[in-house]
Amino acid sequence: GAGVSQTPSNKVTEKGKYVELRCDPISGHTALYWYRQSLGQGPEFLIYFQGTGAADDSGLPNDRFFAVRPEGSVSTLKIQRTERGDSAVYLCASSLGPVFSYEQYFGPGTRLTVT
Amino acid sequence: AQTVTQSQPEMSVQEAETVTLSCTYDTSESDYYLFWYKQPPSRQMILVIRQEAYKQQNATENRFSVNFQKAAKSFSLKISDSQLGDAAMYFCAFLNTGNQFYFGTGTSLTVIP
């Protein structure tokens, strides 16, 4: 079956612009995570969805970042007024349920470059 | 907050030999989970092995095994009979009961033919 997919694979935008990053989880997976991976670092937790609701958004760095999952499947990470410091790989992962019980599957990520 | 430390930015191993990657973590929680993930150049993170903190027995998955020392807060990964396909970045990760993951900074493993 299909794995987690993320689009676009690469995105270049100018400072100050708005971007949307999309994540298509594995069908039937209720849990969905977003992470940010800066160069030379490990992934950093951003937000966790269980179904349609954000169960934990404590990792979002500021109010320029927002994520939705309106139907409990596809999720979109939205970044307003992008800054050069937002440049990173944004990873999405999904699992059948809580990750302490179920394996988490990662997508290939979206590399965001803010010029 | 939890922290995960990987003190070896780079490691290398001869093909067919054994290598151990180190990881330490800091937490005040007693119930948690530990993971090793592999990230090849394709960027897609792949689960290598997981360990529940309440289990004393070290997890093993084929050529991969861990040495989990709860009191020392240490969680090292041993790769036996190293293969060329094992070359990748390896990340140690901590999961708390609040479903928050914390990752280390990674160890880049090179396998020498």
PDB file of all heavy atoms in Angstrom, chain A residues 9 33 35 37 41-43 48 56 58 99-100 103-104 106 108-109 111, chain B residues 33 37 39 42-45 47 50 91 95 97-101 103-105:
ATOM      1  N   SER A   9       7.756  18.334  -2.801  1.00  0.00           N
ATOM      2  CA  SER A   9       8.974  17.771  -2.213  1.00  0.00           C
ATOM      3  C   SER A   9       9.976  18.887  -1.905  1.00  0.00           C
ATOM      4  O   SER A   9      10.770  18.780  -0.972  1.00  0.00           O
ATOM      5  CB  SER A   9       9.602  16.739  -3.145  1.00  0.00           C
ATOM      6  OG  SER A   9       9.852  17.301  -4.410  1.00  0.00           O
ATOM      7  N   TYR A  33       1.615  13.493  12.865  1.00  0.00           N
ATOM      8  CA  TYR A  33       2.592  14.385  13.472  1.00  0.00           C
ATOM      9  C   TYR A  33       3.256  15.247  12.396  1.00  0.00           C
ATOM     10  O   TYR A  33       3.504  14.783  11.285  1.00  0.00           O
ATOM     11  CB  TYR A  33       3.717  13.592  14.132  1.00  0.00           C
ATOM     12  CG  TYR A  33       3.369  12.898  15.410  1.00  0.00           C
ATOM     13  CD1 TYR A  33       2.631  11.727  15.421  1.00  0.00           C
ATOM     14  CD2 TYR A  33       3.819  13.393  16.625  1.00  0.00           C
ATOM     15  CE1 TYR A  33       2.330  11.077  16.602  1.00  0.00           C
ATOM     16  CE2 TYR A  33       3.532  12.752  17.820  1.00  0.00           C
ATOM     17  CZ  TYR A  33       2.795  11.599  17.797  1.00  0.00           C
ATOM     18  OH  TYR A  33       2.506  10.961  18.985  1.00  0.00           O
ATOM     19  N   TYR A  35       6.879  17.521  12.034  1.00  0.00           N
ATOM     20  CA  TYR A  35       8.181  17.821  12.614  1.00  0.00           C
ATOM     21  C   TYR A  35       8.910  18.789  11.689  1.00  0.00           C
ATOM     22  O   TYR A  35       8.666  18.836  10.492  1.00  0.00           O
ATOM     23  CB  TYR A  35       9.047  16.557  12.715  1.00  0.00           C
ATOM     24  CG  TYR A  35       8.504  15.474  13.596  1.00  0.00           C
ATOM     25  CD1 TYR A  35       7.656  14.499  13.085  1.00  0.00           C
ATOM     26  CD2 TYR A  35       8.860  15.391  14.936  1.00  0.00           C
ATOM     27  CE1 TYR A  35       7.156  13.484  13.890  1.00  0.00           C
ATOM     28  CE2 TYR A  35       8.377  14.380  15.746  1.00  0.00           C
ATOM     29  CZ  TYR A  35       7.529  13.437  15.212  1.00  0.00           C
ATOM     30  OH  TYR A  35       7.042  12.442  16.015  1.00  0.00           O
ATOM     31  N   GLN A  37      12.939  19.690  10.655  1.00  0.00           N
ATOM     32  CA  GLN A  37      14.311  19.224  10.762  1.00  0.00           C
ATOM     33  C   GLN A  37      15.232  20.241  10.105  1.00  0.00           C
ATOM     34  O   GLN A  37      15.282  20.335   8.873  1.00  0.00           O
ATOM     35  CB  GLN A  37      14.485  17.839  10.126  1.00  0.00           C
ATOM     36  CG  GLN A  37      15.866  17.247  10.364  1.00  0.00           C
ATOM     37  CD  GLN A  37      15.993  15.819   9.859  1.00  0.00           C
ATOM     38  OE1 GLN A  37      15.195  15.358   9.037  1.00  0.00           O
ATOM     39  NE2 GLN A  37      16.971  15.093  10.352  1.00  0.00           N
ATOM     40  N   GLN A  41      20.440  18.741  12.322  1.00  0.00           N
ATOM     41  CA  GLN A  41      19.713  18.498  13.564  1.00  0.00           C
ATOM     42  C   GLN A  41      18.755  17.315  13.413  1.00  0.00           C
ATOM     43  O   GLN A  41      18.458  16.876  12.300  1.00  0.00           O
ATOM     44  CB  GLN A  41      18.899  19.738  13.953  1.00  0.00           C
ATOM     45  CG  GLN A  41      19.726  20.988  14.168  1.00  0.00           C
ATOM     46  CD  GLN A  41      20.657  20.839  15.346  1.00  0.00           C
ATOM     47  OE1 GLN A  41      20.270  20.378  16.418  1.00  0.00           O
ATOM     48  NE2 GLN A  41      21.911  21.232  15.164  1.00  0.00           N
ATOM     49  N   GLY A  42      18.260  16.833  14.546  1.00  0.00           N
ATOM     50  CA  GLY A  42      17.215  15.838  14.511  1.00  0.00           C
ATOM     51  C   GLY A  42      15.867  16.507  14.344  1.00  0.00           C
ATOM     52  O   GLY A  42      15.738  17.724  14.502  1.00  0.00           O
ATOM     53  N   PRO A  43      14.849  15.732  14.007  1.00  0.00           N
ATOM     54  CA  PRO A  43      13.500  16.311  13.882  1.00  0.00           C
ATOM     55  C   PRO A  43      13.041  16.926  15.199  1.00  0.00           C
ATOM     56  O   PRO A  43      13.325  16.413  16.280  1.00  0.00           O
ATOM     57  CB  PRO A  43      12.646  15.094  13.511  1.00  0.00           C
ATOM     58  CG  PRO A  43      13.595  14.122  12.895  1.00  0.00           C
ATOM     59  CD  PRO A  43      14.877  14.308  13.643  1.00  0.00           C
ATOM     60  N   TYR A  48       0.748  17.523  16.950  1.00  0.00           N
ATOM     61  CA  TYR A  48       0.229  16.149  16.899  1.00  0.00           C
ATOM     62  C   TYR A  48      -1.294  16.214  16.803  1.00  0.00           C
ATOM     63  O   TYR A  48      -1.950  16.888  17.593  1.00  0.00           O
ATOM     64  CB  TYR A  48       0.677  15.421  18.163  1.00  0.00           C
ATOM     65  CG  TYR A  48      -0.113  14.200  18.564  1.00  0.00           C
ATOM     66  CD1 TYR A  48      -0.324  13.158  17.674  1.00  0.00           C
ATOM     67  CD2 TYR A  48      -0.630  14.077  19.857  1.00  0.00           C
ATOM     68  CE1 TYR A  48      -1.034  12.041  18.052  1.00  0.00           C
ATOM     69  CE2 TYR A  48      -1.335  12.956  20.243  1.00  0.00           C
ATOM     70  CZ  TYR A  48      -1.539  11.929  19.343  1.00  0.00           C
ATOM     71  OH  TYR A  48      -2.237  10.816  19.715  1.00  0.00           O
ATOM     72  N   ASP A  56      -1.969  18.231  20.553  1.00  0.00           N
ATOM     73  CA  ASP A  56      -0.837  18.920  21.177  1.00  0.00           C
ATOM     74  C   ASP A  56      -0.170  19.784  20.121  1.00  0.00           C
ATOM     75  O   ASP A  56       0.361  19.260  19.152  1.00  0.00           O
ATOM     76  CB  ASP A  56       0.158  17.898  21.731  1.00  0.00           C
ATOM     77  CG  ASP A  56       1.300  18.528  22.504  1.00  0.00           C
ATOM     78  OD1 ASP A  56       1.498  19.758  22.425  1.00  0.00           O
ATOM     79  OD2 ASP A  56       2.028  17.785  23.191  1.00  0.00           O
ATOM     80  N   SER A  58       2.027  22.267  21.121  1.00  0.00           N
ATOM     81  CA  SER A  58       3.009  23.006  21.920  1.00  0.00           C
ATOM     82  C   SER A  58       4.339  23.213  21.210  1.00  0.00           C
ATOM     83  O   SER A  58       5.134  24.057  21.627  1.00  0.00           O
ATOM     84  CB  SER A  58       3.250  22.282  23.245  1.00  0.00           C
ATOM     85  OG  SER A  58       3.786  20.995  23.020  1.00  0.00           O
ATOM     86  N   VAL A  99       1.396   6.630  19.376  1.00  0.00           N
ATOM     87  CA  VAL A  99       2.655   6.047  18.939  1.00  0.00           C
ATOM     88  C   VAL A  99       3.335   5.204  19.998  1.00  0.00           C
ATOM     89  O   VAL A  99       4.309   4.522  19.687  1.00  0.00           O
ATOM     90  CB  VAL A  99       3.636   7.121  18.425  1.00  0.00           C
ATOM     91  CG1 VAL A  99       3.140   7.660  17.103  1.00  0.00           C
ATOM     92  CG2 VAL A  99       3.845   8.202  19.436  1.00  0.00           C
ATOM     93  N   PHE A 100       2.826   5.233  21.233  1.00  0.00           N
ATOM     94  CA  PHE A 100       3.422   4.293  22.166  1.00  0.00           C
ATOM     95  C   PHE A 100       2.859   2.893  21.948  1.00  0.00           C
ATOM     96  O   PHE A 100       3.347   1.934  22.520  1.00  0.00           O
ATOM     97  CB  PHE A 100       3.263   4.737  23.622  1.00  0.00           C
ATOM     98  CG  PHE A 100       1.888   5.185  24.009  1.00  0.00           C
ATOM     99  CD1 PHE A 100       0.895   4.278  24.294  1.00  0.00           C
ATOM    100  CD2 PHE A 100       1.591   6.538  24.094  1.00  0.00           C
ATOM    101  CE1 PHE A 100      -0.368   4.693  24.660  1.00  0.00           C
ATOM    102  CE2 PHE A 100       0.326   6.968  24.456  1.00  0.00           C
ATOM    103  CZ  PHE A 100      -0.651   6.043  24.749  1.00  0.00           C
ATOM    104  N   GLU A 103       3.469   1.746  15.402  1.00  0.00           N
ATOM    105  CA  GLU A 103       4.631   2.304  14.714  1.00  0.00           C
ATOM    106  C   GLU A 103       4.255   3.563  13.957  1.00  0.00           C
ATOM    107  O   GLU A 103       3.179   3.665  13.376  1.00  0.00           O
ATOM    108  CB  GLU A 103       5.214   1.284  13.744  1.00  0.00           C
ATOM    109  CG  GLU A 103       6.483   1.780  13.029  1.00  0.00           C
ATOM    110  CD  GLU A 103       7.133   0.712  12.176  1.00  0.00           C
ATOM    111  OE1 GLU A 103       6.796  -0.477  12.353  1.00  0.00           O
ATOM    112  OE2 GLU A 103       7.983   1.080  11.345  1.00  0.00           O
ATOM    113  N   GLN A 104       5.176   4.513  13.962  1.00  0.00           N
ATOM    114  CA  GLN A 104       5.024   5.779  13.278  1.00  0.00           C
ATOM    115  C   GLN A 104       5.721   5.671  11.918  1.00  0.00           C
ATOM    116  O   GLN A 104       6.878   5.255  11.853  1.00  0.00           O
ATOM    117  CB  GLN A 104       5.651   6.873  14.141  1.00  0.00           C
ATOM    118  CG  GLN A 104       5.566   8.268  13.596  1.00  0.00           C
ATOM    119  CD  GLN A 104       6.117   9.282  14.591  1.00  0.00           C
ATOM    120  OE1 GLN A 104       5.699  10.415  14.654  1.00  0.00           O
ATOM    121  NE2 GLN A 104       7.091   8.882  15.376  1.00  0.00           N
ATOM    122  N   PHE A 106       6.992   7.672   8.516  1.00  0.00           N
ATOM    123  CA  PHE A 106       7.344   9.021   8.077  1.00  0.00           C
ATOM    124  C   PHE A 106       7.210   9.175   6.567  1.00  0.00           C
ATOM    125  O   PHE A 106       7.434   8.231   5.804  1.00  0.00           O
ATOM    126  CB  PHE A 106       8.793   9.335   8.456  1.00  0.00           C
ATOM    127  CG  PHE A 106       8.983   9.694   9.898  1.00  0.00           C
ATOM    128  CD1 PHE A 106       9.085   8.713  10.869  1.00  0.00           C
ATOM    129  CD2 PHE A 106       9.064  11.025  10.297  1.00  0.00           C
ATOM    130  CE1 PHE A 106       9.263   9.040  12.203  1.00  0.00           C
ATOM    131  CE2 PHE A 106       9.246  11.363  11.620  1.00  0.00           C
ATOM    132  CZ  PHE A 106       9.347  10.372  12.582  1.00  0.00           C
ATOM    133  N   PRO A 108       8.588  11.526   3.113  1.00  0.00           N
ATOM    134  CA  PRO A 108       9.923  11.930   2.662  1.00  0.00           C
ATOM    135  C   PRO A 108      10.253  13.385   2.974  1.00  0.00           C
ATOM    136  O   PRO A 108      11.386  13.819   2.794  1.00  0.00           O
ATOM    137  CB  PRO A 108       9.863  11.703   1.155  1.00  0.00           C
ATOM    138  CG  PRO A 108       8.418  11.886   0.829  1.00  0.00           C
ATOM    139  CD  PRO A 108       7.641  11.375   2.007  1.00  0.00           C
ATOM    140  N   GLY A 109       9.263  14.130   3.433  1.00  0.00           N
ATOM    141  CA  GLY A 109       9.524  15.515   3.817  1.00  0.00           C
ATOM    142  C   GLY A 109       9.373  16.507   2.690  1.00  0.00           C
ATOM    143  O   GLY A 109       9.407  16.155   1.494  1.00  0.00           O
ATOM    144  N   ARG A 111      11.260  20.032   1.598  1.00  0.00           N
ATOM    145  CA  ARG A 111      12.370  20.947   1.894  1.00  0.00           C
ATOM    146  C   ARG A 111      11.930  22.360   1.556  1.00  0.00           C
ATOM    147  O   ARG A 111      11.663  22.680   0.393  1.00  0.00           O
ATOM    148  CB  ARG A 111      13.616  20.595   1.086  1.00  0.00           C
ATOM    149  CG  ARG A 111      14.803  21.509   1.401  1.00  0.00           C
ATOM    150  CD  ARG A 111      16.049  21.132   0.608  1.00  0.00           C
ATOM    151  NE  ARG A 111      16.501  19.786   0.878  1.00  0.00           N
ATOM    152  CZ  ARG A 111      17.214  19.432   1.938  1.00  0.00           C
ATOM    153  NH1 ARG A 111      17.583  20.345   2.828  1.00  0.00           N
ATOM    154  NH2 ARG A 111      17.606  18.181   2.094  1.00  0.00           N
TER     155      ARG A 111
ATOM    156  N   TYR B  33       9.280   5.602  26.183  1.00  0.00           N
ATOM    157  CA  TYR B  33       9.723   4.701  25.132  1.00  0.00           C
ATOM    158  C   TYR B  33      10.955   5.306  24.455  1.00  0.00           C
ATOM    159  O   TYR B  33      11.081   6.530  24.373  1.00  0.00           O
ATOM    160  CB  TYR B  33       8.614   4.506  24.080  1.00  0.00           C
ATOM    161  CG  TYR B  33       7.358   3.920  24.666  1.00  0.00           C
ATOM    162  CD1 TYR B  33       6.468   4.708  25.390  1.00  0.00           C
ATOM    163  CD2 TYR B  33       7.070   2.568  24.513  1.00  0.00           C
ATOM    164  CE1 TYR B  33       5.328   4.166  25.947  1.00  0.00           C
ATOM    165  CE2 TYR B  33       5.926   2.019  25.060  1.00  0.00           C
ATOM    166  CZ  TYR B  33       5.058   2.823  25.779  1.00  0.00           C
ATOM    167  OH  TYR B  33       3.937   2.273  26.327  1.00  0.00           O
ATOM    168  N   TYR B  37      16.006   5.470  14.945  1.00  0.00           N
ATOM    169  CA  TYR B  37      15.530   5.642  13.584  1.00  0.00           C
ATOM    170  C   TYR B  37      16.736   5.794  12.658  1.00  0.00           C
ATOM    171  O   TYR B  37      17.768   6.357  13.034  1.00  0.00           O
ATOM    172  CB  TYR B  37      14.660   6.891  13.444  1.00  0.00           C
ATOM    173  CG  TYR B  37      13.238   6.727  13.922  1.00  0.00           C
ATOM    174  CD1 TYR B  37      12.886   7.024  15.234  1.00  0.00           C
ATOM    175  CD2 TYR B  37      12.243   6.276  13.056  1.00  0.00           C
ATOM    176  CE1 TYR B  37      11.576   6.881  15.669  1.00  0.00           C
ATOM    177  CE2 TYR B  37      10.937   6.133  13.487  1.00  0.00           C
ATOM    178  CZ  TYR B  37      10.612   6.438  14.800  1.00  0.00           C
ATOM    179  OH  TYR B  37       9.319   6.294  15.216  1.00  0.00           O
ATOM    180  N   GLN B  39      17.877   7.351   8.902  1.00  0.00           N
ATOM    181  CA  GLN B  39      17.476   8.294   7.862  1.00  0.00           C
ATOM    182  C   GLN B  39      18.508   8.266   6.737  1.00  0.00           C
ATOM    183  O   GLN B  39      19.569   8.868   6.838  1.00  0.00           O
ATOM    184  CB  GLN B  39      17.332   9.710   8.422  1.00  0.00           C
ATOM    185  CG  GLN B  39      16.752  10.689   7.407  1.00  0.00           C
ATOM    186  CD  GLN B  39      16.538  12.085   7.995  1.00  0.00           C
ATOM    187  OE1 GLN B  39      17.374  12.600   8.721  1.00  0.00           O
ATOM    188  NE2 GLN B  39      15.395  12.685   7.673  1.00  0.00           N
ATOM    189  N   SER B  42      17.531   9.711   1.221  1.00  0.00           N
ATOM    190  CA  SER B  42      16.180   9.969   0.720  1.00  0.00           C
ATOM    191  C   SER B  42      15.333  10.755   1.711  1.00  0.00           C
ATOM    192  O   SER B  42      14.227  11.196   1.378  1.00  0.00           O
ATOM    193  CB  SER B  42      15.474   8.648   0.399  1.00  0.00           C
ATOM    194  OG  SER B  42      15.251   7.915   1.599  1.00  0.00           O
ATOM    195  N   ARG B  43      15.816  10.938   2.915  1.00  0.00           N
ATOM    196  CA  ARG B  43      15.175  11.715   3.998  1.00  0.00           C
ATOM    197  C   ARG B  43      14.089  10.938   4.752  1.00  0.00           C
ATOM    198  O   ARG B  43      13.635  11.403   5.790  1.00  0.00           O
ATOM    199  CB  ARG B  43      14.554  13.030   3.480  1.00  0.00           C
ATOM    200  CG  ARG B  43      15.495  14.035   2.923  1.00  0.00           C
ATOM    201  CD  ARG B  43      14.870  15.415   2.864  1.00  0.00           C
ATOM    202  NE  ARG B  43      13.589  15.466   2.194  1.00  0.00           N
ATOM    203  CZ  ARG B  43      13.345  16.220   1.124  1.00  0.00           C
ATOM    204  NH1 ARG B  43      14.333  16.922   0.589  1.00  0.00           N
ATOM    205  NH2 ARG B  43      12.144  16.257   0.587  1.00  0.00           N
ATOM    206  N   GLN B  44      13.664   9.801   4.244  1.00  0.00           N
ATOM    207  CA  GLN B  44      12.559   9.103   4.893  1.00  0.00           C
ATOM    208  C   GLN B  44      13.053   8.348   6.117  1.00  0.00           C
ATOM    209  O   GLN B  44      13.867   7.440   6.023  1.00  0.00           O
ATOM    210  CB  GLN B  44      11.919   8.131   3.903  1.00  0.00           C
ATOM    211  CG  GLN B  44      10.550   7.674   4.325  1.00  0.00           C
ATOM    212  CD  GLN B  44       9.622   7.550   3.133  1.00  0.00           C
ATOM    213  OE1 GLN B  44      10.021   7.709   1.979  1.00  0.00           O
ATOM    214  NE2 GLN B  44       8.370   7.246   3.392  1.00  0.00           N
ATOM    215  N   MET B  45      12.538   8.722   7.276  1.00  0.00           N
ATOM    216  CA  MET B  45      12.927   8.091   8.537  1.00  0.00           C
ATOM    217  C   MET B  45      12.334   6.694   8.620  1.00  0.00           C
ATOM    218  O   MET B  45      11.141   6.493   8.347  1.00  0.00           O
ATOM    219  CB  MET B  45      12.405   8.916   9.715  1.00  0.00           C
ATOM    220  CG  MET B  45      12.899  10.337   9.756  1.00  0.00           C
ATOM    221  SD  MET B  45      14.494  10.486  10.511  1.00  0.00           S
ATOM    222  CE  MET B  45      14.036  10.428  12.233  1.00  0.00           C
ATOM    223  N   LEU B  47      12.001   3.250  11.154  1.00  0.00           N
ATOM    224  CA  LEU B  47      12.179   2.718  12.501  1.00  0.00           C
ATOM    225  C   LEU B  47      13.124   1.522  12.462  1.00  0.00           C
ATOM    226  O   LEU B  47      12.930   0.597  11.689  1.00  0.00           O
ATOM    227  CB  LEU B  47      10.831   2.303  13.090  1.00  0.00           C
ATOM    228  CG  LEU B  47      10.878   1.655  14.470  1.00  0.00           C
ATOM    229  CD1 LEU B  47      11.377   2.650  15.509  1.00  0.00           C
ATOM    230  CD2 LEU B  47       9.509   1.113  14.849  1.00  0.00           C
ATOM    231  N   ARG B  50      12.737  -0.341  18.887  1.00  0.00           N
ATOM    232  CA  ARG B  50      12.113   0.415  19.967  1.00  0.00           C
ATOM    233  C   ARG B  50      12.238  -0.357  21.270  1.00  0.00           C
ATOM    234  O   ARG B  50      12.346  -1.591  21.264  1.00  0.00           O
ATOM    235  CB  ARG B  50      10.652   0.737  19.683  1.00  0.00           C
ATOM    236  CG  ARG B  50       9.746  -0.464  19.570  1.00  0.00           C
ATOM    237  CD  ARG B  50       8.305  -0.039  19.363  1.00  0.00           C
ATOM    238  NE  ARG B  50       7.642   0.204  20.645  1.00  0.00           N
ATOM    239  CZ  ARG B  50       6.502   0.856  20.772  1.00  0.00           C
ATOM    240  NH1 ARG B  50       5.903   1.382  19.722  1.00  0.00           N
ATOM    241  NH2 ARG B  50       5.947   1.026  21.956  1.00  0.00           N
ATOM    242  N   PHE B  91      19.202   8.311  14.325  1.00  0.00           N
ATOM    243  CA  PHE B  91      18.681   9.195  15.362  1.00  0.00           C
ATOM    244  C   PHE B  91      18.112   8.381  16.509  1.00  0.00           C
ATOM    245  O   PHE B  91      17.330   7.450  16.313  1.00  0.00           O
ATOM    246  CB  PHE B  91      17.574  10.099  14.800  1.00  0.00           C
ATOM    247  CG  PHE B  91      18.068  11.138  13.838  1.00  0.00           C
ATOM    248  CD1 PHE B  91      18.024  10.910  12.470  1.00  0.00           C
ATOM    249  CD2 PHE B  91      18.578  12.338  14.300  1.00  0.00           C
ATOM    250  CE1 PHE B  91      18.483  11.860  11.572  1.00  0.00           C
ATOM    251  CE2 PHE B  91      19.034  13.301  13.406  1.00  0.00           C
ATOM    252  CZ  PHE B  91      18.993  13.057  12.047  1.00  0.00           C
ATOM    253  N   LEU B  95      10.163   9.106  23.613  1.00  0.00           N
ATOM    254  CA  LEU B  95       8.729   9.385  23.548  1.00  0.00           C
ATOM    255  C   LEU B  95       8.153   9.351  24.949  1.00  0.00           C
ATOM    256  O   LEU B  95       8.292   8.346  25.656  1.00  0.00           O
ATOM    257  CB  LEU B  95       8.029   8.356  22.680  1.00  0.00           C
ATOM    258  CG  LEU B  95       6.501   8.405  22.657  1.00  0.00           C
ATOM    259  CD1 LEU B  95       6.005   9.669  21.969  1.00  0.00           C
ATOM    260  CD2 LEU B  95       5.932   7.167  21.949  1.00  0.00           C
ATOM    261  N   THR B  97       4.771   9.896  27.702  1.00  0.00           N
ATOM    262  CA  THR B  97       3.379   9.434  27.702  1.00  0.00           C
ATOM    263  C   THR B  97       2.426  10.501  27.184  1.00  0.00           C
ATOM    264  O   THR B  97       1.254  10.231  26.971  1.00  0.00           O
ATOM    265  CB  THR B  97       2.954   8.994  29.106  1.00  0.00           C
ATOM    266  OG1 THR B  97       3.241  10.056  30.025  1.00  0.00           O
ATOM    267  CG2 THR B  97       3.710   7.747  29.518  1.00  0.00           C
ATOM    268  N   GLY B  98       2.945  11.719  26.986  1.00  0.00           N
ATOM    269  CA  GLY B  98       2.151  12.767  26.362  1.00  0.00           C
ATOM    270  C   GLY B  98       2.244  12.760  24.856  1.00  0.00           C
ATOM    271  O   GLY B  98       1.799  13.702  24.188  1.00  0.00           O
ATOM    272  N   ASN B  99       2.829  11.706  24.292  1.00  0.00           N
ATOM    273  CA  ASN B  99       2.967  11.550  22.835  1.00  0.00           C
ATOM    274  C   ASN B  99       3.897  12.571  22.209  1.00  0.00           C
ATOM    275  O   ASN B  99       3.755  12.891  21.028  1.00  0.00           O
ATOM    276  CB  ASN B  99       1.600  11.637  22.135  1.00  0.00           C
ATOM    277  CG  ASN B  99       0.875  10.311  22.202  1.00  0.00           C
ATOM    278  OD1 ASN B  99       1.374   9.298  21.744  1.00  0.00           O
ATOM    279  ND2 ASN B  99      -0.286  10.323  22.805  1.00  0.00           N
ATOM    280  N   GLN B 100       4.839  13.087  22.959  1.00  0.00           N
ATOM    281  CA  GLN B 100       5.813  14.023  22.401  1.00  0.00           C
ATOM    282  C   GLN B 100       7.134  13.303  22.172  1.00  0.00           C
ATOM    283  O   GLN B 100       7.659  12.642  23.056  1.00  0.00           O
ATOM    284  CB  GLN B 100       6.034  15.197  23.356  1.00  0.00           C
ATOM    285  CG  GLN B 100       4.828  16.111  23.468  1.00  0.00           C
ATOM    286  CD  GLN B 100       5.059  17.231  24.458  1.00  0.00           C
ATOM    287  OE1 GLN B 100       5.806  17.092  25.409  1.00  0.00           O
ATOM    288  NE2 GLN B 100       4.420  18.368  24.218  1.00  0.00           N
ATOM    289  N   PHE B 101       7.639  13.464  20.955  1.00  0.00           N
ATOM    290  CA  PHE B 101       8.909  12.869  20.580  1.00  0.00           C
ATOM    291  C   PHE B 101      10.028  13.890  20.739  1.00  0.00           C
ATOM    292  O   PHE B 101       9.873  15.057  20.381  1.00  0.00           O
ATOM    293  CB  PHE B 101       8.887  12.450  19.104  1.00  0.00           C
ATOM    294  CG  PHE B 101       8.595  11.008  18.870  1.00  0.00           C
ATOM    295  CD1 PHE B 101       7.319  10.597  18.532  1.00  0.00           C
ATOM    296  CD2 PHE B 101       9.586  10.052  18.967  1.00  0.00           C
ATOM    297  CE1 PHE B 101       7.044   9.256  18.299  1.00  0.00           C
ATOM    298  CE2 PHE B 101       9.327   8.714  18.738  1.00  0.00           C
ATOM    299  CZ  PHE B 101       8.051   8.320  18.402  1.00  0.00           C
ATOM    300  N   PHE B 103      14.132  14.063  19.650  1.00  0.00           N
ATOM    301  CA  PHE B 103      15.185  13.403  18.887  1.00  0.00           C
ATOM    302  C   PHE B 103      16.559  13.964  19.248  1.00  0.00           C
ATOM    303  O   PHE B 103      16.687  15.156  19.578  1.00  0.00           O
ATOM    304  CB  PHE B 103      14.963  13.608  17.385  1.00  0.00           C
ATOM    305  CG  PHE B 103      13.853  12.796  16.794  1.00  0.00           C
ATOM    306  CD1 PHE B 103      12.532  13.217  16.910  1.00  0.00           C
ATOM    307  CD2 PHE B 103      14.111  11.615  16.118  1.00  0.00           C
ATOM    308  CE1 PHE B 103      11.494  12.471  16.360  1.00  0.00           C
ATOM    309  CE2 PHE B 103      13.082  10.867  15.561  1.00  0.00           C
ATOM    310  CZ  PHE B 103      11.771  11.300  15.687  1.00  0.00           C
ATOM    311  N   GLY B 104      17.574  13.113  19.130  1.00  0.00           N
ATOM    312  CA  GLY B 104      18.948  13.573  19.241  1.00  0.00           C
ATOM    313  C   GLY B 104      19.394  14.220  17.945  1.00  0.00           C
ATOM    314  O   GLY B 104      18.626  14.312  16.980  1.00  0.00           O
ATOM    315  N   THR B 105      20.642  14.647  17.907  1.00  0.00           N
ATOM    316  CA  THR B 105      21.163  15.355  16.736  1.00  0.00           C
ATOM    317  C   THR B 105      21.707  14.407  15.669  1.00  0.00           C
ATOM    318  O   THR B 105      22.092  14.848  14.594  1.00  0.00           O
ATOM    319  CB  THR B 105      22.276  16.325  17.137  1.00  0.00           C
ATOM    320  OG1 THR B 105      23.241  15.615  17.919  1.00  0.00           O
ATOM    321  CG2 THR B 105      21.728  17.485  17.950  1.00  0.00           C
TER     322      THR B 105
END
